[in-house]
């Protein structure tokens, strides 16, 4: 690896968040490098979504530190980031693919408008260029460009999720947060979406932090996996290594439940 790739994009040290007296995340530490996909796995209530929201700005970093390094090489302390600076990073450097695509789309805006809006937020002004790029991205996420002016409400759930992905990736972010991106979809739709995500992540060289309870999703998309239980990281390592030879009893249970299913 080059020195640039050796420098973490995201560095987290002893991050902790509580809900009242309950600790949702406790002393979480890891690095995420450019082009790397890290899956955070665990059952519901394990703390994985809380961790994702602390890093993406939805929840405060109560204790510990998290630094994000931007395109210029400047390190931003996510725990003390001003709201306007967080919004700037969210527009220019980050993406966030939510489980329910309706939470990540403007449902009253056309499909093309949903893709074009982020471009306008980063300075694009030429209508023809914006519309052409929106059409290109519809095709890239396997939606007929002829549906550029259609409402997202007329799309299936899988198409809405692909539209949300296009909306997030059109501005070429460096880091993408994903919260159960295949959750709630039929198995056949999930498989198609996972193939699309894997191709886009590889083509664009994205760094991804993905939360999932589905170990098959983690295996297909991620380089490394971080297993959480009760707010703690109980095992971490290369994805195939952890899933093929789990060391923690809880991870063994997760893997065996998939095999038995």
């Amino acid at each position: 690896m080059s020195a640039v790739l050796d420098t973490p994009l995201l560095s987290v040290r002893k991050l902790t968040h509580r809900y009242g007296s309950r600790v949702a995340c406790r002393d979480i530490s890891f690095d995420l490098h450019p082009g790397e996909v890290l899956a955070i796995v665990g059952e519901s209530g394990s703390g994985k979504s809380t961790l994702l929201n602390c890093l993406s700005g939805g929840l405060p970093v109560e204790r510990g530190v998290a630094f994000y390094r931007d395109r210029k090489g400047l390190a931003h302390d996510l725990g003390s980031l001003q709201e306007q600076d967080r919004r700037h990073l969210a527009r220019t450097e980050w993406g966030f693919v939510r489980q329910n695509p309706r939470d990540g789309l403007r449902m009253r805006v056309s499909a093309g408008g949903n893709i074009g809006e982020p471009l306008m937020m980063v300075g694009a002004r030429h209508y023809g260029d914006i519309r052409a790029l929106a059409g290109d991205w519809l095709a890239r996420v396997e939606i007929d460009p002829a549906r550029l002016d259609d409402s997202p409400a007329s799309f299936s759930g899988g198409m809405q999720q692909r539209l949300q992905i296009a909306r997030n990736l059109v501005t070429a972010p460096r880091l993408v947060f994903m919260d159960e991106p295949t959750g709630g979809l039929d198995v056949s739709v999930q498989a198609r979406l996972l193939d699309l995500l894997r191709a886009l992540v590889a083509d664009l060289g994205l760094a991804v932090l993905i939360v999932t309870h589905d170990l098959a999703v983690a295996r297909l998309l991620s380089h490394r996996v971080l297993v959480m239980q009760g707010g703690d990281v109980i095992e971490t390592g290369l994805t195939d290594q952890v899933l093929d030879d789990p060391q923690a009893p809880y991870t063994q249970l997760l893997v065996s439940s998939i095999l038995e299913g």
Side-chain angles (χ1 to χ4, degrees), residues 104 162 193:
R162 297 200 301 275
L193 183 63

mmCIF file of all heavy atoms in Angstrom, residues 104 162 193:
data_model
loop_
_atom_site.group_PDB
_atom_site.id
_atom_site.type_symbol
_atom_site.label_atom_id
_atom_site.label_comp_id
_atom_site.label_asym_id
_atom_site.label_seq_id
_atom_site.Cartn_x
_atom_site.Cartn_y
_atom_site.Cartn_z
ATOM 1 N N GLY A 104 -34.405 8.143 2.809
ATOM 2 C CA GLY A 104 -33.252 8.751 2.151
ATOM 3 C C GLY A 104 -33.568 9.395 0.819
ATOM 4 O O GLY A 104 -32.662 9.860 0.128
ATOM 5 N N ARG A 162 -32.252 1.295 -5.029
ATOM 6 C CA ARG A 162 -31.226 1.583 -6.020
ATOM 7 C C ARG A 162 -31.172 3.078 -6.340
ATOM 8 O O ARG A 162 -30.094 3.643 -6.549
ATOM 9 C CB ARG A 162 -31.464 0.758 -7.290
ATOM 10 C CG ARG A 162 -31.365 -0.742 -7.033
ATOM 11 C CD ARG A 162 -31.118 -1.535 -8.300
ATOM 12 N NE ARG A 162 -32.142 -1.363 -9.316
ATOM 13 C CZ ARG A 162 -33.280 -2.046 -9.367
ATOM 14 N NH1 ARG A 162 -33.563 -2.924 -8.427
ATOM 15 N NH2 ARG A 162 -34.143 -1.848 -10.339
ATOM 16 N N LEU A 193 -29.389 -6.564 -5.548
ATOM 17 C CA LEU A 193 -28.890 -5.331 -4.962
ATOM 18 C C LEU A 193 -27.472 -5.515 -4.443
ATOM 19 O O LEU A 193 -26.616 -4.633 -4.598
ATOM 20 C CB LEU A 193 -29.817 -4.866 -3.839
ATOM 21 C CG LEU A 193 -29.461 -3.527 -3.175
ATOM 22 C CD1 LEU A 193 -29.549 -2.383 -4.176
ATOM 23 C CD2 LEU A 193 -30.393 -3.256 -1.987
#
